[in-house]
Amino acid sequence: MRLVRYADDFVIMVRGTRNDAEALRDEVAAVLAPMGLRPSADKTRVCHIDEGFDFLGWRIQRRARRSQNNKRAVYTYPSKKSLASVVGKVRRLTRRRHHRTLSDLLRRLNPVLRGWCNYFRHGVSKRTFGYLDHYAFWRIIEWLKKRHLGLNTHTLVRRYLPGWEINDGGIEMFRPNRFAVVRYRYRGTKIPTPWKSTNTPAA
């Protein structure tokens, strides 16, 4: 199976050889023209599904199934670039000078974590969510230590981390490792394409 990726907007899946995928360039251009779109020669890429590619923040790649080594499946999971981006946001938000109180920090940080997890909840994301949760949790701990230099660890935990849960002013830290992952949302039969048979009723 070959994949033709055009810019950062869409992917066309082709069952066949690389030559088959290359032959579709003119046909794709003809379909896009009425919509006012044009493939970018500089950003068009042809690759094999086993090689994988990044698309809209996802890494899409066919791999062997862990429980069935002789079978393969296509997996979608957060790309390294996407993870690095949200980690960078967490790092910037947990700099000491940005917030007066822990509740101020959580008001800014929680929407970032929740929004990122919500976007990636329909992929193979559980392990990545765990990593993000661990990183954000300990960044907040370090922020608290620097913010309250006069407090010993016991007092810090008692005041801000009862039961090792971070909260302040009624606001709790959003925990990515507890966010539900729901795989998958297949909607292929509901998405109209120019290549659908005219005899197929619209979904």
Side-chain angles (χ1 to χ4, degrees):
M1 180 180 290
R2 294 284 172 178
L3 295 165
V4 187
R5 175 184 174 185
Y6 289 95
D8 292 318
D9 298 319
F10 59 92
V11 172
I12 296 177
M13 301 183 69
V14 181
R15 182 179 179 84
T17 66
R18 186 180 188 88
N19 289 336
D20 295 328
E22 295 285 358
L24 280 176
R25 290 177 185 267
D26 292 339
E27 184 177 345
V28 170
V31 171
L32 293 177
M35 296 182 280
L37 301 175
R38 183 179 61 182
S40 170
D42 295 333
K43 297 180 180 180
T44 300
R45 179 188 171 206
V46 178
C47 68
H48 197 279
I49 189 65
D50 290 348
E51 177 187 347
F53 62 97
D54 290 350
F55 180 68
L56 299 179
W58 294 93
R59 181 68 181 174
I60 304 173
Q61 189 173 7
R62 185 168 64 181
R63 292 181 169 185
R65 292 183 176 179
R66 292 179 182 175
S67 58
Q68 300 170 312
N69 293 331
N70 60 332
K71 293 187 177 181
R72 303 175 70 80
V74 177
Y75 293 95
T76 58
Y77 47 94
S79 68
K80 291 181 179 180
K81 184 177 180 180
S82 296
L83 179 59
S85 176
V86 72
V87 164
K89 290 179 181 179
V90 172
R91 184 186 303 112
R92 289 191 294 273
L93 286 172
T94 51
R95 287 173 181 162
R96 184 176 55 172
R97 65 179 180 274
H98 285 178
H99 312 283
R100 292 189 307 107
T101 65
L102 176 58
S103 59
D104 291 337
L105 169 58
L106 295 177
R107 286 191 189 96
R108 295 286 304 279
L109 182 62
N110 281 350
V112 171
L113 297 175
R114 184 180 292 108
W116 196 87
C117 290
N118 192 58
Y119 181 80
F120 289 105
R121 69 182 303 183
H122 297 292
V124 186
S125 306
K126 196 64 178 177
R127 181 177 295 182
T128 307
F129 286 177
Y131 174 86
L132 179 60
D133 180 89
H134 182 271
Y135 180 83
F137 184 90
W138 287 104
R139 283 291 299 186
I140 294 175
I141 299 300
E142 290 302 316
W143 182 89
L144 285 169
K145 289 180 178 179
K146 293 177 181 178
R147 187 74 182 180
H148 305 284
L149 295 175
L151 296 182
N152 58 39
T153 301
H154 176 76
T155 304
L156 192 71
V157 171
R158 177 175 55 81
R159 184 176 299 180
Y160 296 106
L161 291 93
W164 286 95
E165 297 290 341
I166 297 176
N167 64 80
D168 185 44
I171 302 176
E172 296 183 1
M173 173 192 173
F174 175 82
R175 302 302 300 269
N177 68 337
R178 299 172 188 170
F179 194 70
V181 172
V182 183
R183 296 163 50 192
Y184 289 98
R185 292 188 309 165
Y186 177 72
R187 299 184 295 115
T189 57
K190 298 181 180 180
I191 302 175
T193 74
W195 293 277
K196 270 193 173 182
S197 170
T198 56
N199 297 324
T200 304

